[in-house]
C-alpha cells in the first residue's frame, strides 16, 4: 500500500477532558491512576504536519508535547465554535512581538460564518495589517483548496449556534473524514456521497458517548459509529481496508477509559484514538 497521508490526533476528548477538571467519577478516577493513553486533552488533529484541525486552548500543550512547529502549518480548518475546538484568544499570539515569524508566513483559518464571528475580530487590526493571518468562510458541500488538499465541508448535526461542519479531506490520492462533532450523519450528507461516490481511506467518528446509549441529539456513541460504518460499507464509500477510528470521548461515556474501550471497539472493527496517536494511510 502506498502511504500518502498522516493524521496525528493531538487532543481526543470532549469539552471536559479526561479526567475532567473537577470530576470524581469512576472513569476519571481510573484514567488519573492509569495515566498515559487514558489522559485525553481537548480536540485537535494535524494532517501531514501542515494542516491543523481545530484550535482549542490545549493547542499550546499539544505543540509542546508533540514537538510540533506551528510555522509549518499554513491552514487550520475549524469544525465549530465550542471551547473544546476553538479558543480564539490565542490567535493574538501571532501578532508581531508575541511571535517572530519568517517573511511570507501566512495562516488561514477556514470555517463557517459562526466560526468567522469568533475568529475575525482577533485578526482585524494588527494581524490583518501584518498580513500573517486571515479567515476564509466555507459552506457545506462547497469544496475548497487548502495547500495540496481539497476539503469538503459537510453538514453536522450538532449545536446550530456553534456553526458546526465536519470535513472530508483529500490529497488527490487518499481521502479521509474527520467527523467531529456530529450526530449520525445528516440525510443531505449521505445524498451528497451517493451523488459524488467518494472512497474513504480513514474515517474518524464522534464517540462522545462510548457505550452509553444515546438519548439526545448532537453526538454519537459506539452503537451509532457502527451504524455509520455499516452504511458506508453498504454504499461502497468504504471497504475492508478503510481505517475506522473512534475519537472525541466524554468521561460520561460508559467504558470510556482507554484500556476498557479498546477491546470493545476492536470487536466492531474500530481503532481508538489517544493523544499523540499517528496513523498513516
Ligand atoms: Zn467537542
Ligand atoms: Zn468524570
Ligand atoms: Zn461541540
Amino acid at each position: 500500500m502506498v502511504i500518502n497521508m498522516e493524521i496525528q490526533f493531538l487532543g481526543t476528548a470532549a469539552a471536559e477532558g479526561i479526567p475532567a477538571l473537577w470530576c470524581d467519577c469512576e472513569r476519571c478516577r481510573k484514567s488519573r491512576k492509569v495515566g498515559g493513553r487514558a489522559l485525553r486533552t481537548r480536540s485537535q488533529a494535524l494532517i501531514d504536519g501542515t494542516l491543523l484541525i481545530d484550535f482549542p486552548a490545549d493547542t499550546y500543550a499539544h505543540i509542546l508535547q508533540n514537538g510540533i512547529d506551528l510555522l509549518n502549518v499554513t491552514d487550520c480548518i475549524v469544525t465549530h465554535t465550542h471551547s473544546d475546538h476553538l479558543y480564539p484568544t490565542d490567535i493574538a499570539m501571532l501578532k508581531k512581538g508575541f511571535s517572530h515569524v519568517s517573511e511570507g508566513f501566512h495562516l488561514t483559518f477556514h470555517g463557517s460564518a459562526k466560526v468567522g464571528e469568533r475568529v475575525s475580530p482577533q485578526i482585524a487590526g494588527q494581524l490583518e495589517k501584518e498580513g500573517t493571518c486571515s479567515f476564509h468562510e466555507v459552506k457545506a458541500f462547497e469544496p475548497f483548496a487548502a495547500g495540496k488538499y481539497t476539503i469538503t465541508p459537510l453538514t453536522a448535526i450538532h449545536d446550530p449556534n456553534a456553526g458546526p461542519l465536519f470535513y472530508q479531506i483529500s490529497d488527490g490520492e487518499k481521502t479521509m473524514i474527520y467527523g467531529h462533532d456530529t450526530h449520525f450523519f445528516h440525510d443531505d450528507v449521505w445524498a451528497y456521497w451517493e451523488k459524488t461516490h467518494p472512497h474513504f481511506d480513514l474515517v474518524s467518528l464522534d464517540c462522545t458517548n462510548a457505550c452509553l446509549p444515546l438519548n439526545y441529539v448532537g453526538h454519537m456513541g459506539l452503537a451509532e459509529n457502527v451504524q455509520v460504518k455499516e452504511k458506508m460499507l453498504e454504499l461502497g464509500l468504504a471497504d475492508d481496508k478503510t481505517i475506522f477510528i473512534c475519537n472525541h470521548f466524554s468521561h460520561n461515556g460508559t467504558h470510556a477509559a482507554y484500556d476498557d474501550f479498546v477491546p470493545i471497539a476492536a470487536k466492531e472493527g474500530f481503532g481508538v484514538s489517544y493523544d499523540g496517536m499517528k496513523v498513516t494511510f
Side-chain angles (χ1 to χ4, degrees):
M1 190 183 79
V2 183
I3 287 168
N4 285 76
M5 291 175 78
E6 176 194 270
I7 180 169
Q8 185 173 22
F9 291 86
L10 302 174
T12 58
E16 318 90 314
I18 298 182
L21 274 81
W22 283 277
C23 193
D24 195 34
C25 81
E26 178 199 328
R27 274 86 55 198
C28 288
R29 273 205 309 270
K30 180 167 185 180
S31 299
R32 258 185 221 106
K33 195 170 148 201
V34 172
R37 293 182 181 185
L39 305 179
R40 297 184 184 276
T41 61
R42 274 66 66 87
S43 277
Q44 189 170 41
L46 182 63
I47 309 294
D48 299 330
T50 60
L51 174 66
L52 202 57
I53 308 177
D54 285 334
F55 192 73
D58 290 340
T59 300
Y60 182 63
H62 294 163
I63 63 174
L64 295 181
Q65 285 159 358
N66 298 285
I68 290 163
D69 184 352
L70 274 190
L71 291 173
N72 293 330
V73 173
T74 54
D75 295 273
C76 178
I77 52 179
V78 180
T79 57
H80 62 300
T81 66
H82 285 162
S83 65
D84 50 327
H85 301 261
L86 179 62
Y87 179 66
T89 308
D90 264 352
I91 297 170
M93 295 306 123
L94 183 52
K95 291 176 182 171
K96 250 184 198 145
F98 294 119
S99 287
H100 301 278
V101 302
S102 49
E103 186 73 28
F105 174 81
H106 189 90
L107 173 65
T108 306
F109 284 91
H110 308 264
S112 65
K114 294 266 185 200
V115 169
E117 285 170 21
R118 304 289 306 282
V119 168
S120 294
Q122 301 294 331
I123 297 172
Q126 192 179 333
L127 279 176
E128 199 173 18
K129 212 162 73 200
E130 289 166 5
T132 48
C133 192
S134 57
F135 175 72
H136 168 227
E137 186 181 322
V138 304
K139 290 194 172 67
F141 310 113
E142 293 184 13
F144 63 94
K148 65 174 180 175
Y149 307 100
T150 302
I151 301 172
T152 309
L154 299 163
T155 303
I157 301 176
H158 195 58
D159 175 8
N161 294 318
L165 291 168
F166 70 100
Y167 293 100
Q168 176 176 324
I169 303 164
S170 176
D171 72 348
E173 296 286 330
K174 299 286 171 88
T175 302
M176 60 162 283
I177 292 294
Y178 191 76
H180 308 284
D181 292 355
T182 181
H183 200 77
F184 184 82
F185 298 148
H186 198 289
D187 286 347
D188 292 353
V189 171
W190 294 108
Y192 178 76
W193 285 336
E194 285 192 77
K195 206 172 64 190
T196 54
H197 306 293
H199 178 269
F200 305 132
D201 301 286
L202 181 140
V203 179
S204 176
L205 294 176
D206 182 321
C207 201
T208 306
N209 262 39
C211 295
L212 181 69
L214 198 69
N215 62 356
Y216 62 96
V217 173
H219 288 292
M220 290 190 262
L222 182 60
E224 292 73 29
N225 288 182
V226 169
Q227 287 170 19
V228 168
K229 183 183 174 203
E230 282 170 359
K231 188 157 180 176
M232 282 185 166
L233 291 170
E234 188 188 304
L235 295 176
L237 302 168
D239 59 25
D240 55 2
K241 290 188 191 65
T242 302
I243 301 164
F244 283 90
I245 293 170
C246 299
N247 179 41
H248 188 279
F249 294 92
S250 158
H251 65 132
N252 291 320
T254 35
H255 307 291
Y258 180 81
D259 290 338
D260 294 338
F261 194 63
V262 167
I264 297 171
K267 267 190 214 144
E268 306 291 351
F270 280 82
V272 178
S273 68
Y274 58 86
D275 285 18
M277 178 171 88
K278 282 182 182 177
V279 184
T280 51
F281 57 98

